[in-house]
Each structure stands twice: as structure tokens, then as C-alpha cells.
């Protein structure tokens, strides 16, 4: 296939639906597939897109580029073209595509993918078959279960939808981990324990995805808290936020809210850093954008100050508070903070604080309450005490009735991955700090399932050192066992982990990646397109991404890998006549991913797991079927499902119109006084100069697991960039492109200097999750009461290491949008 032209799909090309693999927005796409030696014509009746390529197309007719096409080969050697095009009928993206989604075709069937299981022989990797791989994994696992028990079996695992996740795979892995193996030492891919990122909001009765994207179009004001939506939820921002700021949704507001004042939307950003999102909004409507550039970690003080002020001004819904909430007076007393004190702590002037309160909460002419949507993400989720920040924010939101069924409101996570959670309950309910357990020498096996933890955990340097040191003990044992039978290899591994402090490490993933440095076994998984997979987006919109191609080699969906492991263990216990243990591994007789979907999301396997399934589909998940979801296309259905009517799934646009998610149905205020920083963070803050903020950049996705194998991305971002203020850089003799070292008491890491005038003095921003330069090496072990980490607050010193060659190969133009 030429790289300077598009091969158009013929009219008879296969057409399937796919939700973007990546961010939580979940843009809808169509996948066209046809034989490599065929091509559609330029006339509209000659190509499957139905467009006239004989002349210049009107603007935004479609998006078609070379990154959206590829040639794939099936298991029988047949070669086909694929073209992945944004769906103009999808209400989420309306034909738009992000830089990440528009590269999906280029990630299909990369040569670098894991194709078959691989085993480490002590000094090299060898491909093997599933029989031997499962015999080793299950054999070692059984010895651990029969020895010290399930508490020695560890997992670091995904809990989300999209690529590498989905309801099928969270269910399969969860049923294995929690019901069959009963392994409590399990943590989430980006958290150090098995927990939620929103404990406080859920306790207050408010699940974190509670409105629709359309609500952002009709809000009077949007408050964006610790989020950079242009770079991280691109088409939610471009298709739903920006039109409101531009004033193009006024007619919709007039239609929806006939008896109240409406106008162009305003947006308030709460972020110490000026982001690309702020720059775009300022270029669009500078008089309707307010940036509260708070001092790092002072979110609780900000929300308490605003809460106190709006209560004192009477800008709250007292009737709503009386009818549908509890605990208001206690929260007012505990959180009380004057604007003067708030300003002193946050660094935001009293005048700006008052302006923010007026924009977001001062009643409109005629006395109607403002409709303000609050969107938050990692800036507070991974902030200075997640639980306290969310409590203080929701106190403000509840008091002003900006959640609870009013359109144009909501207090919602902006999100990272898409969602797709369906699992049995955790076997013990403990919140075990897995990283610290491993560092302390506990645990005998550790499976990294769809994760790149060395790149993405906090206190990463110490965790990585402990895993590698303990894994090497097993590698030495495996090297000595070369020439032995599979059973003898299992015995050697078990001796190393039971008696010598070793750790048996398995990875289950798409690619060999940084985790293979520690691994002894690698199992190849697949992603959407190579399997059928369901996920929901940030407005709870459930869709089915359809399989349209074969996976590489013998790679399998994660849910079927879980089933293979369970069935292998079941057979081992049946062979020795242990019916009680064999019974723990029942209920994995799945042939397809649809079987796993029916078992978990549709609740058919509830009896196998004690009758309880924690699923985002809820009690009505059983109404969804693959057939109904296929018919629903890229618009799917918003959960929870209400009913099936005339063959169509009917969903729910906004939550909490009648009652909240508590036992009494009321929203619960939660006292949350300002208490400063965690002790480990305060220690680094007092000792080192630079606040080291972190986050994503637009082109790269999460841990860059695809991008690592993309020559263009490696050229653009060869190393984690660290944005620095020009005066700070000049003082330290640093220029853009230099390699610098960041260091503190927890470790040291390297980064590529990116000097930008938008950066504040003594504050730097480093890309999170890069494979070359790991920001987590200098973060502390600080977590909140639920073991939710504070990735965002650490301090370090910086020094230049070398000028390097990046300044000759990488662009260091401003990443801020300028009109």
C-alpha cells in the first residue's frame, strides 16, 4: 500500500463498528475491510463512503489519512485492506477524530506484537505453546495455593474498558482472581491497592459518571478541575465544551430552559499550570475564561473557601438541601474558611475567588440557580488527599444543586480509559498496599496483567528494584533447570520463591515491554478489532466494538486466558481427587468472549461467585445482548438500561433525578477541613526546589505501549519532556533539548528539557508514563486513607546532564494554541 494515497473501500466492503481504543470519550468509528487487490472508485456510487472524490469535498465531509489505513493478514494468509473512519452519526464525536484514534489502523497487527507465549530460560526468551505456558503458570500457582495459600498470589491488573479492558476481560480476570484464586494481594493498574478513585463521592451517594456530554453544551458555566480536556478528552472538549464557550448552543439552551436567562457559556479552570485547553478557550472567548492558578495541593482550601462564601451569600438551594440531603450544617461548620484565608493558602486573589463564585453560583436574573457542570480528573484524583478533596468539592456542588437531575449540571470524572467494570467482590475487602508488600519481600507470584507498572507506579524506583532483584533469583533457578521437564521447571521455580525470597513474574499483554525485564512468562493478549469487546464511555454509553480481523499467532482475549488458567487448575485438582479445590475453578466453560459477557455483565454467572457481581451494568445489565448492541451501533445505550422497546435498548441520560446512591437515598455532605500535605510530601517540599507536576500529552497514550513501536512517535517524543520556566532554565544552564536529571530522596530520573514561557518559576511539568524517563521515580509513597496515591505532589532538584542530540531532531515550539 502506498503511503501517499488512500485506497478507497469498494461498495461491497465489510463494514463494522468500533469504539476508539483509547480515552474515555469513546469516539465512534466505522471499519471498512476488503481484499487487498480491490479498490473503490472516486464516484460516490463506486466507494463505500458514498463521497464524490472527483472534486474537492466540502469541509468536514470526512477524515481520511494514511494513518487510518493498513493491510492485515488473517490466519490463512489472506491479505485485506482496512480503513478506519470516524462515524458522523455518532453523537459523541460527530465525525471528529483525535490524533490518537486516527492512528488506530496503524496499530493493527504490528510485527512487534506478542504472537505466542514466551518463557524465559534464565538468559533468553523462547516462544512456546499454550500447553506448556499454562502448565507452568498453573503448576506454580497450585504449589503456592497448597503451600502458604492465596495471600502469596499477587496481581497488578486493569480495571477499565477500551483497549486491554472491557466488560468481558474485567469479568474473566476478576472471576479468576477473586472467586477461583481468592487472591487479596491485588492492585489496580494505576493505584497501589484494589480500590476506587472516588471513595468519598460514592459514600456521599454520587457515582462519578452522572451526566451526559450534552450537559456540557447547555451549562451556564463549566468548572474544570485538575483536567486538561483538549489533550486528554479531545472530542468531548471540541464537540461539546467549546461550542458552549463559542456561544453556538444558545438556541438549545433556550429550547431546554424556556423560563430562565441563558447566554454564552463560561469556563473556570482550576489548575496551577496553564494548559493547552486554557489557551484554546482564551483564544476563543477571553472574557468568558477564568484561570484559578492555585498553589499546588491546595484544592481543599479552595473549595472550602468557595463553599463558605456561597453559603454566606445565600447562593444555595435550601429546599433541595432540606428534601434530598443530610449533614449540611456539620459540613458548613467543619469546612468554614474565609476568602481571605483561602486566598492566603491558594495564592488566588480574593477578587478572582469572588468572580469564580459569581460565575458559577450566583443566581441568574429572576432567581434561577446557575447550571454549573464540574469536571475533574487526575489533578485531584491523584492529588493531595483524594478523599478530602472530593469531599470538599461535592459539599460545594450539592449545596448549589449542581448534581441531582438538573440538566446542564453534574459533578463528573473527566476520565482516563473508558470504563468496563464487572467483577466479583474482592475476597477480603482489604486495601493492601501491594507495592510495599513486594518491597518488604512478601508475595511469591506476581502477574502484571495489561499494565506497565514500572513506568506508572509511585515510588517507582524502589518498587522496580525490589521486583527485579527478587525476579532474578527465579531466573537463576530457571537457568539451572534447563534441560529438565516442565514439572522440574515448576519445582525449581517454586523452590526459588518459597525458600529463597524469589518472585515468579508473569506478564499478560499485547507487546513485550519494560515489564519483560522482570518476567519469566509472557502470555499474548488481543485488543478490540481482534475480539468483540464492550465498554462504556464517560457518559455511561455502552457500545460493542466488533471483531473484524484475526489476532496475531495464538494470542487470545484476556477473558479466555483467564478461563484457560482456571480450567488448567481445575484439571490439576480433579486429577488428585481434590473436589473442594476443583469446585473453586468452576464456571469457566467459555468458548468466546460473548460467553464471558453473558456470564458477568449479563449476570448469568452470579451463582458461581456467591450471588454478587459488582457491575456497571447494574441489575438491568442482563437486558443487553451482543445482537442488540450491534443494532445500536456507535450510539449504543447509556447505562443503566431502563428497558428494551421495539427491539431497541432504552437508557438513562442523567442520574439521581429521584434519589442518590445511598441507603437512605439522600446525598450526604461530608466534613472536610484543610489539613495541609501528607508527611512524605511535605518532607520533599521543604527540602527541594521544584514542584514536579505530571500528566499526559496529546499525541501519546498512557504508557505509550503502542507508541514505543511507532518510529514517528519515538522521533517526536524520544524521552519524557519536562516543561521548565525560561528563567529557571537559564539559571541552571539548561536549554530545550538538553537531558536533565531530577532527583530527591526517593530516586532520580532523566527527562528532555522543554523550555516554555507558560511554565511558572520553580514548577515543572513532566510527561507521566513515558518509557524513557519515569516521573514516578521521584514521587513519594504517600497515599490517602483508601491507598489512593498522590502522584501529583513531589519536589525535586534539577541539574543538566548533557546537551544530547535532541535539539537537532525534536521541535520545541510552544505547545500552547495561539489564534
Amino acid at each position: 500500500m502506498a503511503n501517499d494515497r488512500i485506497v478507497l473501500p469498494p461498495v461491497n466492503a465489510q463494514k463494522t463498528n468500533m469504539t476508539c481504543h483509547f480515552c474515555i470519550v469513546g469516539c465512534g468509528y466505522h471499519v471498512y475491510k476488503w481484499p487487498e487487490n480491490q479498490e473503490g472508485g472516486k464516484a460516490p456510487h463506486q466507494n463505500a463512503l458514498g463521497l464524490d472524490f472527483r472534486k474537492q469535498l466540502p469541509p468536514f465531509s470526512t477524515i481520511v489519512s494514511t494513518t487510518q489505513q493498513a493491510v492485515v493478514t488473517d490466519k490463512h494468509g489472506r491479505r485485506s485492506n482496512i480503513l478506519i473512519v470516524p462515524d458522523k452519526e455518532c453523537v459523541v464525536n460527530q465525525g471528529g477524530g483525535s490524533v490518537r484514534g486516527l492512528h488506530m489502523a496503524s496499530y493493527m497487527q504490528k510485527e512487534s506484537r506478542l504472537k505466542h507465549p514466551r518463557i524465559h530460560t534464565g538468559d533468553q526468551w523462547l516462544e512456546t505453546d499454550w500447553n506448556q505456558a499454562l502448565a507452568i503458570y498453573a503448576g506454580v500457582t497450585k504449589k503456592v495455593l497448597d503451600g502458604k495459600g492465596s495471600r502469596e498470589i499477587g496481581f497488578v491488573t486493569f480495571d477499565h474498558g477500551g483497549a486491554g479492558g472491557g466488560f468481558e476481560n474485567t469479568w474473566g480476570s476478576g472471576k479468576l482472581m477473586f472467586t477461583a484464586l481468592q487472591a487479596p494481594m491485588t492492585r489496580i493498574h494505576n493505584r497501589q491497592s484494589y480500590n476506587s478513585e472516588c471513595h468519598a463521592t460514592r459514600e456521599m451517594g454520587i457515582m462519578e459518571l452522572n451526566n451526559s456530554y450534552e450537559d456540557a453544551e447547555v451549562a451556564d458555566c463549566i468548572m474544570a478541575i485538575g483536567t486538561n480536556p483538549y489533550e486528554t478528552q479531545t472530542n468531548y472538549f471540541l464537540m461539546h465544551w467549546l461550542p458552549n464557550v463559542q456561544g453556538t448552543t444558545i438556541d438549545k439552551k433556550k429550547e431546554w430552559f424556556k423560563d430562565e436567562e441563558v447566554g454564552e457559556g463560561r469556563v473556570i479552570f482550576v489548575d496551577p499550570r496553564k494548559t493547552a485547553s486554557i489557551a484554546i478557550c482564551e483564544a476563543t472567548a477571553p472574557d468568558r475564561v477564568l484561570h484559578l492558578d492555585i498553589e499546588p495541593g491546595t484544592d481543599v482550601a479552595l473549595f472550602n473557601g468557595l463553599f463558605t462564601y456561597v453559603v454566606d451569600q445565600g447562593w444555595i438551594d435550601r429546599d433541595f438541601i432540606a428534601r434530598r440531603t443530610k449533614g449540611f450544617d456539620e459540613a458548613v461548620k467543619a469546612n468554614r474558611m474565609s476568602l481571605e484565608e483561602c486566598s492566603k493558602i491558594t495564592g488566588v486573589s480574593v477578587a478572582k475567588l469572588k468572580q469564580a463564585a459569581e460565575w458559577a453560583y450566583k443566581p441568574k436574573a429572576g432567581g434561577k440557580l446557575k447550571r454549573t457542570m464540574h469536571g475533574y480528573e487526575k489533578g485531584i484524583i491523584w492529588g493531595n488527599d483524594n478523599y478530602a478533596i472530593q469531599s470538599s468539592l461535592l459539599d460545594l456542588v450539592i449545596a448549589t444543586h449542581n448534581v441531582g437531575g438538573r440538566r446542564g449540571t453534574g459533578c463528573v470524572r473527566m476520565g482516563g480509559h473508558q470504563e468496563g467494570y464487572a467483577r466479583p467482590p474482592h475476597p477480603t475487602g482489604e486495601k493492601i498496599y501491594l507495592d510495599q508488600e513486594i518491597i518488604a519481600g512478601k508475595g511469591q507470584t506476581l502477574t502484571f496483567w495489561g499494565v506497565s507498572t514500572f513506568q506508572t507506579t509511585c515510588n517507582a524506583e524502589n518498587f522496580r528494584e525490589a521486583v527485579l532483584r527478587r525476579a532474578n533469583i527465579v531466573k537463576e533457578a530457571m537457568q539451572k533447570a534447563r534441560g529438565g521437564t516442565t514439572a522440574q521447571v515448576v519445582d525449581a521455580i517454586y523452590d526459588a520463591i518459597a525458600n529463597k525470597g524469589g518472585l515468579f513474574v508473569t506478564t499478560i499483554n499485547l507487546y513485550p515491554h519494560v515489564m519483560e525485564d522482570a518476567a519469566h512468562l509472557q502470555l499474548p493478549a488481543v485488543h478490540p478489532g481482534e475480539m468483540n469487546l464492550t465498554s462504556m464511555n464517560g457518559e455511561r454509553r455502552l457500545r460493542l466494538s466488533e471483531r473484524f480481523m484475526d489476532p496475531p499467532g495464538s494470542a487470545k482475549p484476556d477473558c479466555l486466558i483467564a478461563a484457560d488458567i482456571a480450567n488448567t487448575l481445575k484439571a490439576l485438582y480433579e486429577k488428585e481427587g481434590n473436589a473442594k479445590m476443583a469446585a473453586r475453578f468452576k464456571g469457566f466453560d467459555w468458548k468466546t468472549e460473548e460467553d464471558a459477557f453473558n456470564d458477568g455483565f449479563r449476570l448469568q454467572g452470579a451463582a458461581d461467585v456467591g450471588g454478587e457481581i459488582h457491575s456497571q451494568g447494574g441489575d438491568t445489565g442482563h437486558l443487553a445482548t451482543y445482537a442488540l448492541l450491534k443494532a445500536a451501533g456507535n450510539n449504543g445505550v447509556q447505562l443503566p438500561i431502563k428497558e428494551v422497546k421495539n427491539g431497541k435498548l432504552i437508557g438513562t441520560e442523567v442520574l439521581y433525578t429521584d434519589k442518590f446512591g445511598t441507603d437512605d437515598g439522600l446525598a450526604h455532605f461530608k466534613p472536610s477541613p484543610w489539613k495541609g500535605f501528607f508527611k512524605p510530601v511535605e518532607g520533599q517540599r521543604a527540602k527541594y526546589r521544584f514542584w514536579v507536576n505530571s500528566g499526559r500529552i496529546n499525541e501519546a497514550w498512557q504508557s505509550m505501549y503502542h507508541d514505543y513501536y511507532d518510529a514517528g512517535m519515538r522521533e517526536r517524543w524520544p524521552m519524557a519532556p519536562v516543561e521548565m520556566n525560561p528563567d529557571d532554565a537559564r539559571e541552571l544552564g539548561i536549554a530545550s533539548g538538553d537531558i536533565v536529571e531530577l532527583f530527591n530522596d526517593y530516586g532520580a530520573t532523566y527527562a528532555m528539557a522543554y523550555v516554555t514561557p507558560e511554565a511558572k518559576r520553580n514548577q515543572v511539568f513532566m510527561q507521566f508514563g513515558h518509557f524513557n524517563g519515569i516521573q514516578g521515580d521521584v514521587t513519594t509513597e504517600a497515599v490517602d486513607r483508601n491507598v489512593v496515591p498522590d502522584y501529583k505532589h513531589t519536589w525535586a532538584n534539577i541539574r543538566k546532564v548533557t546537551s544530547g542530540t535532541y535539539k537537532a531532531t525534536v521541535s520545541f515550539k510552544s505547545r500552547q494554541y495561539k489564534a
Side-chain angles (χ1 to χ4, degrees):
M1 177 181 289
N3 60 11
D4 62 349
R5 65 188 296 270
I6 299 296
V7 181
L8 294 175
V11 292
N12 61 348
Q14 172 188 301
K15 180 182 177 182
T16 53
N17 297 313
M18 186 163 72
T19 306
C20 179
H21 291 196
F22 305 122
C23 86
I24 193 168
V25 179
C27 297
Y29 286 78
H30 287 142
V31 181
Y32 296 91
K33 181 183 180 183
W34 68 100
E36 184 185 22
N37 61 357
Q38 296 180 17
E39 182 172 359
K42 294 181 181 179
H45 67 279
Q46 294 175 328
N47 66 77
L49 302 178
L51 297 173
D52 191 349
F53 289 94
R54 297 171 300 182
K55 57 186 180 181
Q56 179 67 50
L57 293 175
F60 308 113
S61 297
T62 188
I63 303 175
V64 180
S65 66
T66 55
T67 64
Q68 295 167 245
Q69 63 178 5
V71 175
V72 298
T73 306
D74 68 17
K75 292 185 183 299
H76 302 289
R78 286 189 294 265
R79 290 167 60 85
S80 301
N81 292 308
I82 60 169
L83 181 68
I84 303 178
V85 181
D87 181 357
K88 292 181 70 68
E89 301 304 315
C90 179
V91 296
V92 175
N93 54 310
Q94 303 163 22
S98 71
V99 66
R100 301 170 301 279
L102 294 173
H103 276 75
M104 281 190 292
S106 65
Y107 299 140
M108 294 295 172
Q109 272 195 352
K110 276 188 172 291
E111 185 58 32
S112 43
R113 287 276 300 278
L114 285 170
K115 300 174 182 64
H116 303 285
R118 300 170 75 195
I119 183 171
H120 202 274
T121 64
D123 60 2
Q124 68 182 99
W125 284 104
L126 292 178
E127 283 192 348
T128 186
D129 59 23
W130 280 97
N131 289 334
Q132 186 186 28
L134 291 166
I136 292 173
Y137 188 93
V140 174
T141 301
K142 181 178 182 300
K143 284 183 175 292
V144 174
L145 284 171
D146 295 344
K148 294 188 70 174
S150 61
R151 296 189 73 87
E152 297 296 315
I153 298 172
F155 288 92
V156 183
T157 181
F158 60 92
D159 70 334
H160 50 73
F167 289 106
E168 295 80 0
N169 293 332
T170 57
W171 175 249
S173 56
K175 190 174 184 180
L176 173 69
M177 295 184 301
F178 292 162
T179 301
L181 294 173
Q182 300 178 12
M185 194 170 72
T186 301
R187 58 159 280 188
I188 302 297
H189 65 110
N190 60 10
R191 306 191 288 284
Q192 286 59 45
S193 184
Y194 202 84
N195 51 17
S196 163
E197 289 183 317
C198 300
H199 284 278
T201 70
R202 294 180 186 182
E203 290 174 16
M204 298 168 84
I206 299 164
M207 178 266 196
E208 59 273 16
L209 303 175
N210 48 68
N211 71 356
S212 290
Y213 286 169
E214 202 171 15
D215 287 298
E217 300 174 25
V218 297
D220 294 306
C221 182
I222 299 173
M223 185 176 285
I225 305 152
T227 180
N228 178 16
Y230 171 66
E231 297 197 77
T232 56
Q233 297 90 18
T234 304
N235 283 314
Y236 182 19
F237 176 75
L238 294 178
M239 302 297 176
H240 302 278
W241 285 37
L242 206 57
N244 191 357
V245 179
Q246 292 168 325
T248 60
T249 60
I250 290 179
D251 287 344
K252 179 179 284 190
K253 293 181 182 184
K254 290 178 178 178
E255 180 184 349
W256 284 28
F257 313 127
K258 291 182 171 61
D259 60 344
E260 62 186 77
E261 178 186 42
V262 298
E264 297 96 341
R266 289 169 165 164
V267 59
I268 301 169
F269 287 93
V270 179
D271 199 315
R273 168 177 171 253
K274 183 175 181 180
T275 64
S277 304
I278 298 172
I280 292 170
C281 288
E282 287 180 342
T284 302
D287 60 332
R288 296 196 293 278
V289 182
L290 183 62
H291 181 197
L292 304 183
D293 53 337
I294 62 173
E295 286 296 308
T298 60
D299 307 81
V300 170
L302 173 70
F303 298 133
N304 284 354
L306 292 174
F307 178 53
T308 300
Y309 183 70
V310 300
V311 170
D312 290 347
Q313 296 299 311
W315 299 343
I316 57 176
D317 190 335
R318 292 197 176 275
D319 177 64
F320 171 77
I321 291 169
R323 289 186 300 104
R324 298 192 57 194
T325 78
K326 64 186 293 186
F328 173 70
D329 291 337
E330 293 85 346
V332 171
K333 181 179 179 180
N335 297 7
R336 177 158 289 279
M337 179 179 287
S338 69
L339 288 188
E340 289 72 23
E341 184 182 3
C342 177
S343 176
K344 183 178 180 180
I345 294 170
T346 64
V348 178
S349 70
V350 170
K352 286 181 75 173
L353 293 170
K354 287 184 177 179
Q355 185 179 8
E358 290 175 2
W359 279 19
Y361 310 114
K362 184 178 180 179
K364 298 189 271 190
K368 295 285 186 179
L369 290 172
K370 288 274 178 63
R371 298 176 184 271
T372 295
M373 192 196 93
H374 299 73
Y376 63 91
E377 198 32 54
K378 294 298 191 295
I380 66 171
I381 287 174
W382 289 350
N384 175 29
D385 196 336
N386 167 296
Y387 191 88
I389 301 171
Q390 292 187 12
S391 299
S392 62
L393 170 60
L394 263 293
D395 287 340
L396 174 62
V397 170
I398 295 169
T400 55
H401 196 179
N402 278 305
V403 68
R406 294 177 70 222
R407 300 310 304 264
T409 71
C411 187
V412 294
R413 275 198 59 181
M414 293 297 291
H417 289 274
Q418 287 160 63
E419 302 279 311
Y421 192 90
R423 279 184 174 149
H426 185 277
T428 65
E430 298 170 90
K431 295 182 178 69
I432 299 171
Y433 197 152
L434 182 143
D435 293 28
Q436 295 301 314
E437 297 289 297
I438 296 297
I439 290 171
K442 297 179 182 179
Q444 294 182 354
T445 73
L446 187 57
T447 299
F448 292 98
W449 204 328
V451 299
S452 300
T453 314
F454 284 176
Q455 296 167 241
T456 58
T457 195
C458 61
N459 192 20
E461 185 172 299
N462 289 311
F463 177 72
R464 191 167 59 247
E465 185 279 329
V467 172
L468 290 171
R469 173 176 45 80
R470 297 182 61 195
N472 282 335
I473 296 172
V474 177
K475 287 184 178 180
E476 290 176 6
M478 294 177 74
Q479 187 171 27
K480 292 176 181 177
R482 288 172 68 162
T485 65
T486 298
Q488 289 171 328
V489 172
V490 168
D491 288 340
I493 293 170
Y494 183 66
D495 177 63
I497 62 179
N499 302 315
K500 300 175 182 177
L503 183 69
F504 177 61
V505 176
T506 301
T507 68
I508 305 175
N509 220 310
L510 299 174
Y511 298 97
H513 53 76
V514 295
M515 303 309 300
E516 77 170 354
D517 292 344
H520 309 106
L521 193 63
Q522 297 184 74
L523 304 180
V526 305
H527 57 179
E530 299 168 352
M531 68 173 289
N532 295 296
L533 186 127
T534 54
S535 299
M536 76 174 197
N537 74 348
E539 55 176 354
R540 310 173 319 284
R541 190 175 297 277
L542 174 70
R543 272 84 57 85
L544 170 66
S545 289
E546 298 172 83
R547 174 174 171 161
F548 63 87
M549 59 182 284
D550 291 334
S554 60
K556 300 180 182 184
D558 297 89
C559 55
L560 299 186
I561 294 174
D564 284 348
I565 292 170
N567 289 326
T568 304
L569 279 159
K570 181 183 177 184
L572 290 174
Y573 279 112
E574 286 176 339
K575 184 177 181 179
E576 69 177 25
N578 190 338
K580 182 178 179 181
M581 283 299 293
R584 279 175 41 178
F585 298 92
K586 68 182 179 181
F588 288 89
D589 300 324
W590 308 329
K591 304 302 180 193
T592 68
E593 52 268 35
E594 185 175 8
D595 294 336
F597 178 77
N598 291 336
D599 199 61
F601 187 87
R602 300 192 66 224
L603 312 177
Q604 292 179 0
D608 296 336
V609 297
E612 185 176 4
I613 294 176
H614 294 169
S615 170
Q616 289 170 316
D619 294 339
T620 58
H622 68 278
L623 295 174
T625 65
Y626 268 24
L628 287 171
L629 288 171
K630 182 176 180 179
N634 283 319
N635 285 327
V637 61
Q638 287 180 270
L639 299 175
I641 300 168
K642 294 179 179 178
E643 61 177 333
V644 179
K645 188 174 183 179
N646 299 323
K648 183 179 179 181
L649 294 162
I650 307 300
T652 305
E653 293 180 321
V654 294
L655 304 185
Y656 310 126
T657 55
D658 299 317
K659 61 181 181 179
F660 290 96
T662 53
D663 290 342
D664 58 15
L666 303 176
H668 294 188
F669 287 92
K670 192 176 286 289
S672 180
W674 163 250
K675 294 183 179 179
F677 289 92
F678 292 123
K679 186 175 180 180
V681 173
E682 186 59 54
Q684 302 307 289
R685 180 170 175 259
K687 189 172 181 180
Y688 294 97
R689 173 178 174 180
F690 291 95
W691 172 48
V692 185
N693 190 6
S694 65
R696 277 171 43 196
I697 56 176
N698 192 15
E699 302 93 319
W701 173 246
Q702 303 294 57
S703 63
M704 301 181 74
Y705 56 91
H706 286 309
D707 301 326
Y708 181 87
Y709 300 97
D710 185 309
M713 281 295 292
R714 288 181 69 97
E715 183 177 14
R716 177 67 186 104
W717 299 112
M719 191 176 209
V722 60
E723 296 179 352
M724 294 186 68
N725 176 274
D727 293 332
D728 288 338
R730 192 177 304 112
E731 182 181 313
L732 296 173
I734 293 170
S736 287
D738 288 346
I739 297 173
V740 299
E741 183 180 31
L742 294 80
F743 59 95
N744 62 14
D745 294 345
Y746 285 84
T749 192
Y750 297 97
M752 176 179 67
Y754 206 117
V755 180
T756 176
E758 285 78 20
K760 289 184 179 181
R761 294 216 66 174
N762 301 318
Q763 296 185 7
V764 299
F765 174 85
M766 184 173 173
Q767 183 187 348
F768 178 83
H770 203 292
F771 53 83
N772 186 16
I774 297 172
Q775 189 266 348
D777 285 352
V778 293
T779 57
T780 76
E781 79 281 19
V783 295
D784 79 347
R785 68 202 76 184
N786 294 299
V787 199
V788 178
D790 183 358
Y791 285 104
K792 293 289 186 178
H793 298 100
T794 191
W795 274 256
N797 285 346
I798 300 176
R799 59 182 165 225
K800 177 178 176 178
V801 176
T802 179
S803 294
T805 61
Y806 294 145
K807 61 187 62 182
T809 60
V810 177
S811 169
F812 293 97
K813 290 183 178 180
S814 173
R815 298 179 59 247
Q816 299 286 329
Y817 177 85
K818 293 179 174 60

